[in-house]
Amino acid sequence: MSIVEKIKKIKNLDKNLNGGASEEQIERAEKRLSLRFSKEYKEYVKEFGMISFYGTEWSGLNIDGYFNVVNMTEDEKALNEAFPEKYFAIENLAVDGVIIISNEEGKIYSIQYDKKELICNSLSEYLDICLKRN
């Protein structure tokens, strides 16, 4: 099942009222962050822009403010000099400085200050984790 299909099954899903992101918005964001988003992340932002569910809030595009992936990633890099290059922010857990990040291949990590730990191999697997914790 694709990431988009899995997200569509979430009850009480809050989607970005602005809708999904355009290819142009994705390319601009990638250029600004000097990286490439993973295939699944692109699928997600093209369809939804950004989502929240059960207190979980993922970064995205076609939205202003902190939850814009560019803003969140740049803000977190400014706060943490150990934030790795070629990674982008997915979610701020708002607990003890833990940020969920992804590399260009789509592997998902948690980062807390200078400690980076692999959580799972895809955004789809991370969605399963998020749904279980709620």
Side-chain angles (χ1 to χ4, degrees), residues 45-97:
V45 295
K46 279 182 184 178
E47 181 71 25
F48 301 103
M50 145 325 138
I51 60 169
S52 68
F53 55 95
Y54 311 127
T56 296
E57 297 171 309
W58 283 6
S59 70
L61 286 171
N62 203 21
I63 187 166
D64 294 326
Y66 179 74
F67 290 104
N68 178 292
V69 66
V70 174
N71 296 343
M72 185 184 286
T73 301
E74 288 178 344
D75 287 354
E76 295 306 328
K77 282 183 173 188
L79 292 169
N80 183 357
E81 62 186 35
F83 195 104
E85 290 297 315
K86 303 290 184 184
Y87 284 70
F88 57 96
I90 299 287
E91 181 182 16
N92 182 336
L93 294 183
V95 177
D96 297 329

Side-chain angles (χ1 to χ4, degrees), residues 20-123:
S22 68
E23 191 65 45
E24 183 182 332
Q25 287 172 309
I26 292 169
E27 288 172 8
R28 271 198 319 262
E30 288 177 325
K31 185 174 182 179
R32 187 152 157 202
L33 294 173
S34 299
L35 54 73
R36 288 280 195 214
F37 294 130
S38 66
K39 180 178 179 272
E40 274 192 323
Y41 191 79
K42 286 182 188 181
E43 291 171 5
Y44 150 66
V45 295
K46 279 182 184 178
E47 181 71 25
F48 301 103
M50 145 325 138
I51 60 169
S52 68
F53 55 95
Y54 311 127
T56 296
E57 297 171 309
W58 283 6
S59 70
L61 286 171
N62 203 21
I63 187 166
D64 294 326
Y66 179 74
F67 290 104
N68 178 292
V69 66
V70 174
N71 296 343
M72 185 184 286
T73 301
E74 288 178 344
D75 287 354
E76 295 306 328
K77 282 183 173 188
L79 292 169
N80 183 357
E81 62 186 35
F83 195 104
E85 290 297 315
K86 303 290 184 184
Y87 284 70
F88 57 96
I90 299 287
E91 181 182 16
N92 182 336
L93 294 183
V95 177
D96 297 329
V98 177
I99 308 297
I100 304 303
I101 60 175
S102 177
N103 66 9
E104 294 177 310
E105 291 77 41
K107 292 187 185 284
I108 306 297
Y109 297 80
S110 66
I111 184 170
Q112 183 181 31
Y113 313 110
D114 63 345
K115 181 182 167 199
K116 183 178 82 173
E117 183 178 330
L118 179 66
I119 296 175
C120 55
N121 291 313
S122 70
L123 191 59

